[in-house]
Amino acid sequence: MKSNEVAHHIDVYSIFPDYVHSALQNSLIGKAWQSGLIEIGSHDLRGFAKDLHRTVDDTPYGGGAGMVMMPTIWGEAIDQSVEFSKAKIHDLIIPTPAGELFTQKKAEELSRAEHIIIACGRYEGIDARVSEYYQSQPNFRVHEISIGDYVINGGEAAALVMIEAIVRLIPGVIGNPDSLLEESHTLLDDEEALLEYPSYTKPAIWRGLGVPEILLSGHHGKIAQWRLERSKERTRKVRGLTRE
Ligand code: 6GU
């Protein structure tokens, strides 16, 4: 490996490893995987269970509905992931609706990580001591992350969303890096990100609808100005009045 190349390794632990594996094989992520830019492992959490039924959860202390995933099982899974890794720092992502909101800024931060471990739990959650324990470890950074204000049944789909956002930012994964610079959310820092302007291609008239005249003019400066205005307008419209 050349010295300017960064090794990126992602380990996903889940009770649905086949779902995670098959989803990741497709598209851009699959290509980056095949090319050796990143390495992704999808692991069966039940492999760490001790009983015949391969139990990974138990009833909650204090009572209530649902089950909680056992810290013992998760501890073994995460420790194994560390054992097989050469990385000095491990970024542990715990997808949870109670986490901080996932943003482009967070994706950028995580795209620089050497080794990411994603612990997919069911939505009732993983015993809170797992997060607490690894936060106390000097070679760990723990990220409890939500992908939005709604509830899904498990962390798997959230993990896929995060992986897609993170991996496309790894140098070499996207063929044309200019496309990264122009898009929504990457222009400015996160809080000031503008949403994308509308795009058009041929034909010039479709079902009676034309294309804004300016885009056919060839005036690059005016086009850039028009696009910036449309971005600001759209941001104001769907995200409310913020700046200016
Ligand atoms: Cl990360 N997990 C679950 N179960 N639900 C969510 C979520 C994560 N983010 C938003 N809703």
Side-chain angles (χ1 to χ4, degrees):
M1 189 182 299
K2 283 179 259 142
S3 59
N4 62 339
E5 272 181 71
V6 188
H8 298 276
H9 196 135
I10 301 175
D11 280 316
V12 184
Y13 287 83
S14 159
I15 55 170
F16 304 112
D18 296 338
Y19 165 60
V20 172
H21 181 91
S22 63
L24 289 173
Q25 273 183 316
N26 300 313
S27 80
L28 198 90
I29 312 301
K31 278 188 200 131
W33 193 351
Q34 276 166 17
S35 76
L37 272 170
I38 52 163
E39 219 174 299
I40 306 180
S42 180
H43 312 280
D44 187 1
L45 184 70
R46 292 200 193 278
F48 299 89
K50 299 282 174 253
D51 63 326
L52 208 62
H53 295 107
R54 308 214 300 160
T55 307
V56 295
D57 52 11
D58 208 336
T59 54
Y61 277 124
M67 301 288 274
V68 178
M69 289 180 126
M70 295 145 76
T72 48
I73 307 279
W74 275 112
E76 284 193 30
I78 295 163
D79 289 351
Q80 186 209 62
S81 177
V82 166
E83 213 174 290
F84 291 151
S85 170
K86 291 192 203 90
K88 285 184 278 298
I89 297 284
H90 311 279
D91 284 272
L92 173 62
I93 298 177
I94 304 176
T96 165
E100 64 169 303
L101 272 186
F102 190 58
T103 60
Q104 190 65 20
K105 191 173 174 183
K106 196 74 186 173
E108 279 165 16
E109 176 195 333
L110 289 162
S111 74
R112 292 186 286 271
E114 243 187 297
H115 183 215
I116 293 173
I117 303 166
I118 310 184
C120 299
R122 45 195 302 160
Y123 81 89
E124 293 92 341
I126 296 172
D127 187 301
R129 290 169 293 183
V130 174
S131 174
E132 186 185 339
Y133 174 80
Y134 287 102
Q135 280 180 54
S136 76
Q137 300 301 296
N139 56 340
F140 266 82
R141 289 186 291 238
V142 178
H143 315 264
E144 291 182 88
I145 306 178
S146 162
I147 59 164
D149 287 335
Y150 42 80
V151 173
I152 54 178
N153 278 332
E156 286 79 10
L160 293 173
V161 167
M162 290 188 249
I163 289 169
E164 192 155 324
I166 293 164
V167 169
R168 63 191 294 284
L169 297 175
I170 293 172
V173 170
I174 282 210
N176 175 12
D178 286 348
S179 64
L180 286 180
L181 291 173
E182 278 196 18
E183 72 197 16
S184 306
H185 295 290
T186 19
L187 268 178
L188 303 157
D189 73 60
D190 210 71
E191 256 145 82
E192 289 181 64
L194 289 172
L195 302 181
E196 200 116 43
Y197 51 79
S199 298
Y200 304 86
T201 186
K202 289 167 278 292
I205 298 175
W206 178 73
R207 298 191 182 180
L209 300 172
V211 170
E213 206 60 46
I214 186 77
L215 299 177
L216 311 172
S217 70
H219 289 112
H220 298 298
K222 283 186 181 170
I223 291 170
Q225 202 183 339
W226 181 88
R227 285 176 167 166
L228 181 59
E229 281 311 311
R230 296 290 80 69
S231 282
K232 287 180 180 173
E233 188 178 69
R234 179 150 185 88
T235 308
R236 236 178 286 124
K237 198 169 157 193
V238 307
R239 298 291 167 88
L241 278 168
T242 45
R243 306 160 284 285
E244 293 177 311

